[in-house]
Amino acid sequence: MKTIKLADGRELVYELTRKNVRNINFRVKADGIVYVSAGRAVPAARIEELLSERAEYLLEAAARLREREERSEIGDTVRLFGREYPIRVISGARETALFDCGECRVFTKHGDDRAYIRQLVGRAVSERFLGLCRELNDEVRRELAEAGLVPPPTRVTIKDMSSRWGSCSYNRGHISINSRLAAYPRETVLSVFWHEYAHYWHHDHSARFYAFVERFCPEYQRWNGLLK
Ligand SMILES: [Zn+2]
């Protein structure tokens, strides 16, 4: 490791590796050290001359990298299935987000673009919610079938709705589930599935409707109550 004193008093630390290359390469890391690889024929004085010329740019790049690392946990959180996950941004080339070890980990090259990070997080939430909805839909249909009640073929659509958590078009065999339910516990989402499926047998919200729902989902009031 060597140090160059700059005209303004600052110092630039670099590490030189000799390689079988013709040119000189500079790579700066968040620790502020410049990693130089240069051909064996390049004089040391020439390398220091080039480093001094580029010092401003290299120090700025190091500062940017450091700032990005410090900001890796952006303080934002995301709710999934009733749990709050801190969002951690990890610089990488994968451009994806996943839920792991109690965190929502975002791998991206664009760590300072918050809107884009939110988009990746949103995509991960949608994927997980879609998986849950498939599972719950199968569960409800299986339990109904076991009770001798076979629901018609049903198309389930997940979409963002502003005024309701779900709907059932019993004539068309179509159930809509509000994508905002992804923030709520599994049991709450299940209660919405039971609610909508129950409309195949009861088109209103009468006592008989709720008796039907609670026969299959005894804790309906408790879990669905979170939505009020
Ligand atoms: Zn209803």
Side-chain angles (χ1 to χ4, degrees), residues 7 14 17 30-31 41 48 55 58 61 83 123 125 189-190 200 206:
Y14 74 97
T17 313
D31 56 12
E48 295 217 343
L58 291 165
R83 210 179 137 180
R123 216 177 291 162
V125 168
V189 187
L190 181 60
Y200 278 129
S206 60

Side-chain angles (χ1 to χ4, degrees), residues 166-168 195-196 199 202-205 209-210 220:
S167 67
C168 177
H195 182 117
E196 301 314 332
H199 278 312
H202 301 277
H203 298 170
D204 52 15
H205 292 122
F209 166 86
Y210 283 108
Y220 177 84

